[in-house]
Amino acid sequence: YLKYILNTMKTTSLAVLGNVLSAPMIGYAFGKLKWPGRDKVFMLVVATMMLPFTVTMIPLYSLFSRLGWINTYIPLVLPDFLGTAYFIFLMRQFYRNLPDEFMEAARIDGASELWVYARIALPLEKPAVVTVALFSFVWSWTDFMGPLIYLTKSSKWTISLGLSQFTNTYGVDWALLMAASAIAILPMVILFFFLQKYFVEGSMSSGVKG
């Protein structure tokens, strides 16, 4: 069980890192930069949110299998480094509410776009980044379908697959299952307890303007 927890901490940490790096940057490009076809590309990104995982499950498995990534953690964390549609949408909404005067003043002084993003835009969106990190942590920590599909060796299983082992054809060991479940949700409770200020602030500020 400890091995499952360590495996989950590994995949969750990478997933959070990927989303925190990619979503704010892509959201900034959609929210504050003007380039041809920006709105159309954004609508295409948002449209991918309407596709259920069951639709893309087989093509993704086939792709990762050909790349030799089955039974590795790459399929579980790589998509997060490429950008998650929901988090991109969330960060874009935050950036849309950010006054342009802050960025324009820096550009007039000769700052590069990367400097403007890293030194001005990103620090002002700390609640949004924390919200992305928290959601990403919860989604990755509780993910069951992804590890079930891509991880074949029990030594690489995550906590979600580990909990399923308490159920067998002869019944359920409810005492052990409840104890294991309590341990599994403990990190999420602790994380939310310490970050609830930023989470509530971020949730209240997002999506106010389109």
Side-chain angles (χ1 to χ4, degrees):
Y1 192 74
L2 180 60
K3 179 66 174 178
Y4 297 153
I5 293 179
L6 294 177
N7 292 340
T8 310
M9 291 178 62
K10 183 186 301 183
T11 58
T12 301
S13 300
L14 291 174
V16 171
L17 177 63
N19 282 309
V20 167
L21 290 177
S22 62
M25 187 177 296
I26 301 173
Y28 178 79
F30 282 123
K32 287 301 179 184
L33 300 183
K34 296 180 180 180
W35 42 278
R38 180 191 66 176
D39 295 336
K40 294 181 179 178
V41 175
F42 177 72
M43 291 303 298
L44 183 62
V45 172
V46 173
T48 62
M49 296 170 58
M50 303 179 185
L51 293 175
F53 180 68
T54 51
V55 174
T56 60
M57 181 172 57
I58 296 178
L60 285 175
Y61 182 87
S62 177
L63 173 63
F64 292 139
S65 178
R66 292 183 180 183
L67 294 173
W69 291 349
I70 299 301
N71 202 41
T72 69
Y73 297 131
I74 298 179
L76 300 178
V77 300
L78 180 62
D80 297 305
F81 282 89
L82 302 179
T84 303
Y86 176 75
F87 295 143
I88 294 173
F89 170 79
L90 186 67
M91 292 302 306
R92 177 198 180 253
Q93 296 304 101
F94 274 98
Y95 285 123
R96 296 270 289 188
N97 296 330
L98 190 65
D100 293 330
E101 288 76 10
F102 295 109
M103 280 71 73
E104 292 297 335
R107 295 188 185 105
I108 293 175
D109 291 338
S112 65
E113 201 62 51
L114 184 60
W115 192 96
V116 173
Y117 163 76
R119 296 297 182 90
I120 298 179
L122 189 60
L124 291 174
E125 299 300 333
K126 184 178 180 181
V129 176
V130 173
T131 302
V132 168
L134 187 58
F135 274 118
S136 177
F137 181 91
V138 173
W139 289 359
S140 179
W141 188 272
T142 60
D143 185 22
F144 177 79
M145 188 60 68
L148 179 65
I149 295 173
Y150 300 122
L151 302 179
T152 57
K153 293 184 178 180
S154 59
S155 60
K156 293 182 177 292
W157 282 358
T158 59
I159 193 66
S160 298
L161 294 181
L163 288 175
S164 66
Q165 300 308 299
F166 290 99
T167 304
N168 53 54
T169 56
Y170 301 102
V172 181
D173 193 333
W174 290 108
L176 292 178
L177 179 59
M178 292 297 101
S181 299
I183 297 175
I185 66 174
L186 188 60
M188 292 184 288
V189 174
I190 295 175
L191 190 66
F192 181 79
F193 178 78
F194 285 104
L195 300 179
Q196 61 177 329
K197 173 184 175 182
Y198 299 103
F199 174 71
V200 173
E201 182 180 348
S203 299
M204 293 178 63
S205 302
S206 63
V208 177
K209 297 180 181 179

